[in-house]
Amino acid sequence: MAQNRVAIVTGAARGIGAGTAERLAADGFSVAVLDLEQGAQAGTVQRITGQGGRAVAVGVDVSDEASVANAMAQVVQELGAPSVLVNNAGITRDNLLFKMSAQDWDSVLAVHLRGAFLMSRAAQTHMVRARYGRIINLSSTSALGNRGQANYSAAKAGIQGFTKTLAIELGQFGVTVNAIAPGFIVTDMTRATANRMGVSFEEHQESAAAEIAVRRVGAPEDIANAVSFFADQRSGFVSGQVLYVAGGPRN
Ligand SMILES: NC(=O)c1ccc[n+]([C@@H]2O[C@H](COP(=O)([O-])OP(=O)(O)OC[C@H]3O[C@@H](n4cnc5c(N)ncnc54)[C@H](O)[C@@H]3O)[C@@H](O)[C@H]2O)c1
């Protein structure tokens, strides 16, 4: 099947999104590098083009309907219709329930859940038309419950239900939808957690690694490798799955 090898990765200025954008570019995709401010993605775009790949930076707030529509139009105009969407953009606003503000609840659900919904709805138009697509959503081991993350774990569990429902709805159009649930990955997000807990990032990684079966924490490349599998045309019989990429068994 002739397919447009255009991938969109949200939250791709840094961390898992950046690693994923670079991997998909190495796999031969033209990559739309989406993040809040267009300038922040310059590093990711430069690393891709420096390796001979094709990438464009597109500014978006995934929780904003008009912003998503504009970003999608820009992607289609600059690279063509997307065949792969990776919903990776995310934030944390951790606190124990009694201290969690309604604003912290709303903003986390808005970026993860509303964001994945708006981006997927915008992308499926092109995928259904082409009778081909791959949507990959970032969940988390926190979906199983994690102290201080009522908002985030609800969003990440929600992502799993959202993934399975889209898989059912879109399968007949050649579109697969899967989720990846990472464990501890070294990024600014886990660095911020260490700061909040008052421990050094190194200590935080060491204590996390001791609890992980393979005795190490993960890197963005570990997640990018799983994304690459789901994004592959040959993975068309795998849909509605949640893959825990956490260095050991979960769920
Ligand atoms: N790091 C981990 O250990 C870990 C574990 C499980 C799941 N995850 C998930 O993986 C994804 C990436 O995490 P990360 O660790 O790379 O985080 P990160 O904080 O390093 O990067 C997140 C990126 O998303 C962008 N972003 C935030 N809000 C946005 C919005 N409204 N619109 C567009 N972009 C926005 C940020 O600007 C940033 O570049 C997130 O969904 C996160 O919840 C991370």
Side-chain angles (χ1 to χ4, degrees), residues 14 16 35 60-62 88 139 152 156 182-183 185 187 189-190:
R14 62 174 198 239
I16 293 170
D35 212 293
V60 71
D61 176 352
V62 295
N88 166 83
S139 179
Y152 184 80
K156 292 308 201 185
I185 308 297
T187 69
M189 190 177 271
T190 37

Side-chain angles (χ1 to χ4, degrees), residues 10-19 34-37 40-41 58-64 67-68 87-93 107 110-112 115 137-142 152 156 159 180-193 218 220 223 245:
T10 69
R14 62 174 198 239
I16 293 170
L34 271 62
D35 212 293
L36 276 174
E37 289 156 33
Q41 297 96 305
V58 177
V60 71
D61 176 352
V62 295
S63 66
D64 183 276
S67 175
V68 166
N87 284 310
N88 166 83
I91 59 169
T92 51
R93 297 285 182 272
S107 52
V111 177
H112 293 276
N137 299 317
L138 267 290
S139 179
S140 168
T141 50
S142 294
Y152 184 80
K156 292 308 201 185
I159 285 283
I180 296 168
F184 189 117
I185 308 297
V186 176
T187 69
D188 286 356
M189 190 177 271
T190 37
R191 183 184 294 277
T193 311
I223 305 307
V245 181

Side-chain angles (χ1 to χ4, degrees), residues 78-165:
E78 293 189 27
L79 294 178
S83 56
V84 173
L85 168 65
V86 185
N87 284 310
N88 166 83
I91 59 169
T92 51
R93 297 285 182 272
D94 297 353
N95 236 326
L96 293 173
L97 181 63
F98 76 102
K99 288 195 276 190
M100 187 173 284
S101 69
Q103 174 64 46
D104 285 349
W105 175 270
D106 289 345
S107 52
V108 167
L109 267 76
V111 177
H112 293 276
L113 271 184
R114 184 178 158 87
F117 156 66
L118 291 173
M119 287 298 306
S120 300
R121 194 182 60 178
Q124 61 80 33
T125 309
H126 303 285
M127 294 174 177
V128 167
R129 193 176 294 144
R131 293 287 189 278
Y132 181 86
R134 301 276 181 263
I135 297 176
I136 299 133
N137 299 317
L138 267 290
S139 179
S140 168
T141 50
S142 294
L144 303 167
N146 198 25
R147 184 180 165 83
Q149 292 198 312
N151 49 2
Y152 184 80
S153 65
K156 292 308 201 185
I159 285 283
Q160 298 191 8
F162 175 69
T163 298
K164 291 171 189 179
T165 298

Side-chain angles (χ1 to χ4, degrees), residues 2-7 29 79-84 132:
Q3 47 155 294
N4 217 6
R5 287 177 66 78
V6 174
F29 288 94
L79 294 178
S83 56
V84 173
Y132 181 86

